[in-house]
Amino acid sequence: MTEAEATMLLAVLKTAYPRDYNYPTREEARGAAVIWATQFSDLPAEIVLMAVNKLISSSRFAPSIAEVKSKVETIHWEAYEMLAANDRNEVSLPPDVLDHYQRIYAATKQHKYSKSIEPHISQMIQGGDMQKLLNGG
């Protein structure tokens, strides 16, 4: 997920939870986007949005990054179950739907056993825009 995608995701969260995602300054809003983008730099924004939408539909409280990561794990297993059911001929997924589940499964594979995925420092150095933020850029 990029910073621009994280900004759009935060707009969704602000709409769903206006009191919790109210950033009074542009710098605070950008800082939030940088943090979300850094935390989800290894995932397509589409999957993070799926996780957020699942949480919005079931929680009265704004989700934390950790909760969204946990929901990504759930999405992984849901995709796995659909692929396995298709392999066992319990369901017959059309090719485009099958492809979609395979992409979700592959993109979320590293999250399957994570109770609290913590990014490795090298990921944060390589993938984050924190230095640009700290330098005012």
Side-chain angles (χ1 to χ4, degrees):
M1 181 165 57
T2 66
E3 184 181 331
E5 292 166 332
T7 299
M8 289 187 285
L9 179 75
L10 288 169
V12 169
L13 286 166
K14 182 176 180 162
T15 301
Y17 304 99
R19 291 183 189 149
D20 296 308
Y21 290 94
N22 187 16
Y23 302 106
T25 68
R26 183 173 264 185
E27 291 80 19
E28 288 174 336
R30 179 143 189 267
V34 168
I35 290 169
W36 280 77
T38 300
Q39 289 294 313
F40 294 104
S41 64
D42 60 336
L43 285 170
E46 167 191 24
I47 291 173
V48 180
L49 182 59
M50 282 181 199
V52 165
N53 278 323
K54 283 179 161 287
L55 289 163
I56 287 171
S57 69
S58 62
S59 178
R60 296 179 305 189
F61 303 104
S64 67
I65 288 172
E67 289 170 312
V68 175
K69 287 183 176 189
S70 180
K71 193 55 73 175
V72 167
E73 181 182 359
T74 301
I75 289 170
H76 169 82
W77 289 114
E78 287 178 18
Y80 171 81
E81 288 173 12
M82 288 303 294
L83 292 170
N86 187 71
D87 287 346
R88 292 187 306 263
N89 295 319
E90 294 171 4
V91 296
S92 180
L93 299 174
D96 59 327
V97 174
L98 181 63
D99 180 59
H100 193 70
Y101 278 111
Q102 288 170 335
R103 286 186 293 120
I104 292 169
Y105 177 79
T108 59
K109 196 169 189 172
Q110 73 185 43
H111 295 268
K112 65 183 173 183
Y113 296 116
S114 63
K115 290 303 172 203
S116 62
I117 280 195
E118 182 177 305
H120 190 274
I121 193 166
S122 65
Q123 292 173 305
M124 297 177 83
I125 290 170
Q126 294 169 358
D129 285 329
M130 191 59 74
Q131 195 60 42
K132 283 195 321 190
L133 178 65
L134 293 174
N135 291 332

